[in-house]
Amino acid sequence: MTVTTGAGAQPPGPQPQGAQRQGSQPPGGYPPGSSGAYPSVSPGGSVSGGASAGPSVGERVRERVRSGLGLIGPRHGRHTLSAEQLDTLALPIGDDGVVIGVDAEGQPAVLGVNRPTPYDVVLIGGLWTAQVLALRAAATGARVAVETGRAQLWMQMVHAMGGGQNGMTVYDVGRVPPQGASAGNPVLVVRDCGMRPPRGRVVSGPWQSVLTLLPYLSPVAPRLIRQARLVGVQRVSPDEAAELGRAMALPRADVESLPTLADGVTLWCADRDRQYVMTQPTDAETGLLGTPRRMD
């Protein structure tokens, strides 16, 4: 409990004779102008003074309260650790972003799409995965702007989310207006514009990430991959896997695994980091989008 007193207020209880109450003083010290002699109160209630007598416990506590420092807190040995026990301390802080699935060890894989710097993502895969990512980004508070030539496949999501009032809007190709992204209003632009998406009018910027969906490898894919900070690859043909292996410097094992990936599994690559992630839908996502699939 914190005790506060007003200006000029006296602490409760009897006041010892000779004690000075004006001004402030360090906790546990003597009041200004004193000679260091404090009267003391005996158990019987009598007051005696002397140059060698120090302040009583009650007097020191009252002086601390009066000076605004409050009471001394409890001292518990249980709040201390030995040097050998320090390694047992851990603070469970994970990444901040969208949970896009689980990795090979079954741990959550998180994609941070709300960033203060431009962030471009390319997904060579199915519409189902892109829609799940858009739903989950909207659930974290980001506004999602979808640029697509197949609006009918996205409108069911918009209706399910409240008719565009809850974070998702759909635009025709080339018709996305400036989104006004900010730290308090981050934006994810999803470009579902087919095999050869035109250069977008709205590009990535601070607090505005862009996810470009390519159903298959196309002639524009190498350029988009070079520009992207993150690339996701789902099941592709052996020839496409070989081309991606050359473009992204993938190990032979990854090149051979790409044609065999199950529905919902994505190989995410950033610089030299690679991670296989399985996107597992929630019951609500399954009811809205169906089960994971590579083809639409």
Side-chain angles (χ1 to χ4, degrees):
M1 178 176 66
T2 303
V3 180
T4 58
T5 58
Q10 299 293 333
Q15 304 300 314
Q17 297 178 3
Q20 300 183 22
R21 291 299 177 185
Q22 284 76 24
S24 61
Q25 64 181 24
Y30 298 105
S34 69
S35 62
Y38 256 95
S40 61
V41 182
S42 65
S46 62
V47 180
S48 62
S52 61
S56 66
V57 174
E59 178 66 24
R60 295 180 63 182
V61 169
R62 285 194 292 271
E63 289 298 334
R64 286 183 64 86
V65 173
R66 189 178 67 83
S67 63
L69 296 177
L71 300 175
I72 299 175
R75 300 293 189 264
H76 295 296
R78 64 183 180 180
H79 295 305
T80 61
L81 292 175
S82 64
E84 292 75 16
Q85 293 175 307
L86 288 178
D87 290 338
T88 64
L89 293 177
L91 191 59
I93 298 179
D95 292 332
D96 181 18
V98 179
V99 178
I100 60 175
V102 294
D103 60 18
E105 287 74 35
Q107 298 299 316
V110 179
L111 172 61
V113 295
N114 301 334
R115 297 169 178 260
T117 56
Y119 196 69
D120 286 281
V121 181
V122 172
L123 173 61
I124 303 173
L127 177 66
W128 183 90
T129 301
Q131 290 183 327
V132 170
L133 297 182
L135 273 177
R136 296 182 181 183
T140 65
R143 288 191 296 111
V144 179
V146 181
E147 180 182 8
T148 180
R150 43 182 178 176
Q152 70 280 3
L153 298 182
W154 287 90
M155 290 308 298
Q156 60 175 343
M157 294 176 54
V158 175
H159 295 322
M161 296 176 62
Q165 300 300 315
N166 292 320
M168 182 176 291
T169 50
V170 176
Y171 302 94
D172 292 333
V173 177
R175 299 290 185 177
V176 182
Q179 296 297 303
S182 64
N185 190 22
V187 175
L188 172 64
V189 178
V190 179
R191 305 199 68 214
D192 175 27
C193 304
M195 294 284 290
R196 297 173 179 266
R199 294 185 181 273
R201 294 175 55 190
V202 178
V203 298
S204 62
W207 305 109
Q208 180 168 289
S209 299
V210 175
L211 169 65
T212 300
L213 173 65
L214 297 177
Y216 299 102
L217 204 61
S218 69
V220 302
R223 173 179 60 84
L224 295 175
I225 290 173
R226 287 192 301 268
Q227 296 174 348
R229 298 278 303 278
L230 179 70
V231 178
V233 183
Q234 296 190 306
R235 187 172 63 247
V236 293
S237 69
D239 291 341
E240 290 174 310
E243 186 173 347
L244 285 169
R246 291 189 294 269
M248 301 170 59
L250 296 177
R252 182 179 181 85
D254 290 331
V255 173
E256 294 176 347
S257 69
L258 288 178
T260 66
L261 294 181
D263 291 338
V265 177
T266 308
L267 173 61
W268 292 100
C269 307
D271 296 327
R272 297 188 180 276
D273 296 328
R274 298 178 304 279
Q275 187 175 48
Y276 288 92
V277 175
M278 173 175 283
T279 303
Q280 299 172 324
T282 64
D283 291 341
E285 291 168 346
T286 299
L288 180 61
L289 303 174
T291 58
R293 58 191 179 277
R294 172 65 174 88
M295 303 285 291
D296 291 293

